[in-house]
Amino acid sequence: MSTPTTRTPRFDRGRWADAGAETVRPGVHRIPLPLPDDGLRAVNVYALEGLAEGLVLIDGGWSIPESRKALEDALGDLGHDLGAISHVLVTHIHRDHYTQAVELRRLLGSRVYLGSGERRGLELLGSLRTTQPAGSLEILLRAGAHELAERVAAMDHGDFDPSVWEAPDRWLNAEELRFGDAELTVIPTPGHTRGHVVYLDRARGLLFSGDHVLPHITPSIGFELGPTALPLGDYLDSLRLMTTLSDARLLPAHGPVGDSVHARVGELLAHHDDRLAETLAVLGDRTLDAHAVAGELGWTRRKLPFADLNAFNQMLAVNETVAHLDVLVARGRARRTRSDGGVDLYAATTAATG
């Protein structure tokens, strides 16, 4: 093993994706792994040292050569090789979190853990055998975005490799995991996906938040295969659950480490309150489909016009708009009807406009 190196902290927004291991506190290291051609830039995996079982990773990264090499190099700087990884605890089944975990198991015998709520998603992947965002394409059709659905379906989504979508060694529920003297609390946090979980290290005051709580962006909602009744409602409930726990440092899957989970959760809840109000304002006294509503909203922190987004991000924008409209319906602020063509139409209720 090589001698561990000391790195300058990169807790700032601009440098968080720089390659190499960064020590969050003794025995806990953040390792950003590359996501080529992805606006997210990198995904953080966290290596936990000093455990009798070996290294434990939180999330695994994307199963591509660049990611594996970045992980191997970063662990080498810490004095370890890939063979030291005993467990990979995954937050959810998106490819940038799950697929390299399965590859590491095949290569090294590492054990992979995943939230039980993701079982249906993996089953659908196994039956559909496609990398197309089939669930989101269905939402686009229901949202009146037929031409956009055709453009997204025609994109190159890569080949489907069933070997990296195998089931985990263990399905997790709300429970405690113990590795030697270390204990992690598994907390289901549906919303981003139905089976998303976070891992809380109470003793050290750390929350490994996956995509549930991110420091500078909001996660896509319900981006998965198969329908979920009210994914944004689930997400908001999961955010509020975080405020019932003791505050902790935020160790997210994308972006730098943050000082306070509670502070960021407060910002996210306020953002969605604002977004619900903006969505309702777009409806006004009209009856619109979600695609039309999305076209009148601003997107990203810069409030970009919908037309300026690429097709993939337009898909995410329409999906998010549907999620907000459905919460307005659930709260009695809007009503939903379905056209003869199978498109959902929304209108504000009297309670919302009166």
Side-chain angles (χ1 to χ4, degrees):
M1 293 191 298
S2 61
T3 302
T5 59
T6 301
R7 293 184 179 273
T8 303
R10 298 190 309 275
F11 297 132
D12 60 281
R13 182 173 179 179
R15 296 184 53 212
W16 73 269
D18 290 357
E22 175 179 47
T23 299
V24 176
R25 61 174 51 195
V28 180
H29 309 280
R30 184 181 68 84
I31 302 174
L33 302 181
L35 300 176
D37 302 318
D38 190 312
L40 291 173
R41 301 171 58 198
V43 58
N44 295 323
V45 305
Y46 294 89
L48 310 186
E49 289 183 301
L51 309 178
E53 294 84 354
L55 288 178
V56 172
L57 295 188
I58 309 292
D59 278 328
W62 183 14
S63 179
I64 55 175
E66 303 96 310
S67 179
R68 180 177 164 189
K69 185 174 189 308
L71 179 60
E72 189 169 15
D73 289 347
L75 291 181
D77 286 346
L78 295 171
H80 303 286
D81 57 32
L82 290 176
I85 300 170
S86 65
H87 293 75
V88 188
L89 314 182
V90 185
T91 57
H92 61 294
I93 61 168
H94 286 165
R95 69 179 186 182
D96 55 327
H97 299 257
Y98 189 66
T99 57
Q100 187 161 252
V102 176
E103 181 186 19
L104 291 172
R105 176 177 65 187
R106 185 169 59 251
L107 294 173
L108 309 170
S110 308
R111 292 178 58 80
V112 177
Y113 291 4
L114 181 67
S116 62
E118 302 291 47
R119 186 189 296 267
R120 179 57 177 156
L122 272 183
E123 290 173 347
L124 285 170
L125 274 167
S127 60
L128 295 174
R129 300 178 70 83
T130 179
T131 56
Q132 276 195 347
S136 293
L137 292 175
E138 292 178 10
I139 292 173
L140 290 182
L141 297 177
R142 184 159 53 88
H146 294 78
E147 186 271 337
L148 176 58
E150 291 176 359
R151 284 193 285 133
V152 173
M155 294 168 59
D156 181 7
H157 298 282
D159 296 329
F160 180 75
D161 178 2
S163 69
V164 295
W165 294 109
E166 296 171 350
D169 297 284
R170 178 172 168 184
W171 294 104
L172 299 175
N173 296 295
E175 58 186 281
E176 304 289 334
L177 299 177
R178 182 171 291 280
F179 301 96
D181 294 332
E183 188 171 274
L184 296 172
T185 303
V186 183
I187 304 172
T189 49
H192 181 55
T193 66
R194 79 194 73 192
H196 193 290
V197 298
V198 300
Y199 299 95
L200 176 62
D201 185 333
R202 296 180 189 274
R204 291 188 280 201
L206 305 174
L207 181 77
F208 301 94
S209 67
D211 283 4
H212 180 54
V213 183
L214 299 173
H216 299 304
I217 60 175
T218 59
S220 58
I221 301 301
F223 184 47
E224 60 186 326
L225 294 173
T228 303
L230 200 65
L232 180 58
D234 293 340
Y235 179 66
L236 296 175
D237 288 344
S238 297
L239 283 179
R240 295 186 190 100
L241 175 62
M242 298 295 96
T243 67
T244 69
L245 307 171
S246 298
D247 201 6
R249 294 194 75 189
L250 173 63
L251 276 60
H254 307 283
V257 171
D259 290 331
S260 169
V261 171
H262 286 183
R264 181 54 182 158
V265 165
E267 293 172 353
L268 288 168
L269 289 170
H271 162 78
H272 284 288
D273 283 345
D274 291 343
R275 200 59 167 173
L276 288 164
E278 291 168 1
T279 303
L280 192 60
V282 168
L283 283 178
D285 59 1
R286 299 176 293 174
T287 298
L288 300 172
D289 60 44
H291 185 214
V293 175
E296 296 187 29
L297 291 167
W299 295 96
T300 78
R301 296 167 68 91
R302 294 179 290 161
K303 297 295 183 182
L304 294 175
F306 180 82
D308 288 357
L309 304 177
N310 62 28
F312 187 83
N313 283 304
Q314 285 186 350
M315 175 190 70
L316 295 180
V318 173
N319 280 213
E320 180 177 318
T321 302
V322 169
H324 283 84
L325 286 165
D326 286 346
V327 164
L328 289 172
V329 171
R331 293 181 178 181
R333 307 285 285 174
R335 62 181 179 274
R336 180 179 59 238
T337 58
R338 181 158 293 183
S339 74
D340 292 340
V343 174
D344 286 343
L345 302 173
Y346 297 85
T349 62
T350 303
T353 58

